[in-house]
Amino acid sequence: MKKLLIIIFSLIISFCFSQTKEQLIDSIIKVNIVESNCIGYGCMPSSQYKRFKKLKQKLPDKELSELLKHENPTIRTYTYIEFIQSGKGNVPEMLSTELQKNEMVETFEGCIMDVEPVSSIIYHEYWNKIRIEASRKVKGNNYEQDLAMKKALATDLTMEKLDSVIIYSKKEVYWLLYDRTFKNRKHKESYLPRIRELAFKESNAYAFDYLKKHYNSKYSNELENYLKNDFPNAKFKTENEVFYLHLFIKILLKSKNDDFKKIAIEKLKTNQTWKKHKGWFNTTLKKHGISL
């Protein structure tokens, strides 16, 4: 209710008076949600989105770029989106900076409200931008557009740099960014030592699945050893790690190896963190005729 009153008050102020840049920044911070140009069933630009557009119009590029360093993550996020869409700024540098900060923001797009890492918004803003640009260049069917989007992700140099930032980050990275990174392309072989470290020392299932897909014969012994000896003792406590656990369970069950199936079942019996997402896990288990 308090946040709703703040939003209504900010709307009244914005409609009745011409705001200065300081007032616009303050009003954005008061609402403190990154809202898109398409919210609600009518897919209309939000008032918060319009406020940032007004702010952008009042600022020359140099002043606008200073907002990339603003202490408020909502202000920074709007500015990141603006710079990415306009093709300005160093996107890998933006991503590296936000991975270090590790801050979250509330978001509102369409009919969905969420809380997301700022780093994920930066990554996906560019990821979506090049996919959309690639699909628009193809006049063919959905299949051809999909191929064009995949090619763009695999060959775009900035995208490759973003993926490198994700792979080499020593900070915890949102699980979905690992998922995207390891599906975008087959990476340079010079990345393999780091990917092996993620897979076998940090129990990163997305790195593990990447090695299994692209280097199965080369790392077959290490992959099997991890599943038989290291996985049963690995701890999966954080939200990210629960996603790793789920992918490992899928890998074990898809192998159709009875020993691996037993390992998967025993792990779920001894690890309780997955039960917060039991509906999701049970759906996977059901596909393989398993009920816990």
Side-chain angles (χ1 to χ4, degrees), residues 256-273:
K256 297 182 181 180
N257 179 309
D258 287 340
D259 289 337
F260 284 171
K261 182 177 179 179
K262 290 176 184 176
I263 290 170
I265 293 171
E266 186 60 30
K267 186 64 176 178
L268 293 179
K269 286 181 177 179
T270 57
N271 186 298
Q272 300 299 307
T273 54

Side-chain angles (χ1 to χ4, degrees), residues 25-181:
I25 289 172
D26 287 343
S27 62
I28 291 169
I29 292 172
K30 282 178 182 177
V31 177
N32 214 26
I33 303 174
V34 178
E35 298 178 347
S36 79
N37 63 342
C38 173
I39 65 168
Y41 292 109
C43 193
M44 302 294 290
S46 74
S47 299
Q48 180 81 322
Y49 175 84
K50 290 177 182 177
R51 276 190 285 272
F52 183 79
K53 288 299 177 185
K54 287 180 183 177
L55 175 63
K56 183 192 76 170
Q57 291 168 3
K58 290 179 179 288
L59 300 177
D61 282 353
K62 185 177 180 181
E63 283 190 54
L64 187 63
S65 67
E66 290 173 2
L67 294 182
L68 294 170
K69 300 176 183 178
H70 199 280
E71 63 180 3
N72 180 268
T74 296
I75 295 291
R76 291 202 310 276
T77 301
Y78 268 122
T79 312
Y80 286 133
I81 292 170
E82 173 61 31
F83 270 73
I84 291 168
Q85 288 301 326
S86 61
K88 300 173 184 176
N90 186 320
V91 187
E93 188 177 286
M94 295 175 190
L95 179 63
S96 296
T97 298
E98 288 302 329
L99 283 171
Q100 291 297 316
K101 291 180 182 292
N102 195 28
E103 289 190 87
M104 312 281 283
V105 289
E106 284 189 65
T107 60
F108 186 13
E109 183 164 9
C111 298
I112 300 173
M113 299 192 76
D114 202 353
V115 178
E116 301 178 57
V118 178
S119 57
S120 180
I121 294 172
I122 292 169
Y123 185 97
H124 283 103
E125 194 68 28
Y126 188 80
W127 186 83
N128 276 316
K129 181 175 185 282
I130 63 170
R131 289 171 73 248
I132 291 168
E133 289 174 351
S135 69
R136 285 174 177 169
K137 294 176 183 177
V138 177
K139 295 181 180 179
N141 56 36
N142 290 341
Y143 175 74
E144 291 171 330
Q145 289 180 334
D146 187 56
L147 286 179
M149 289 190 287
K150 287 179 179 178
K151 183 178 179 181
L153 292 174
T155 59
D156 184 84
L157 293 179
T158 298
M159 195 75 249
E160 184 178 345
K161 289 177 182 177
L162 292 178
D163 289 338
S164 177
V165 170
I166 296 299
I167 290 170
Y168 284 97
S169 175
K170 293 299 182 181
K171 293 281 187 177
E172 185 177 32
V173 175
Y174 182 46
W175 68 270
L176 185 56
L177 300 189
Y178 283 125
D179 188 24
R180 302 289 192 217
T181 290

Side-chain angles (χ1 to χ4, degrees), residues 18 75 89-90 133 160 171 190 204 213 238 240 255:
S18 178
I75 295 291
N90 186 320
E133 289 174 351
E160 184 178 345
K171 293 281 187 177
S190 59
N204 186 313
K213 178 181 178 181
T238 68
N240 258 5
S255 70

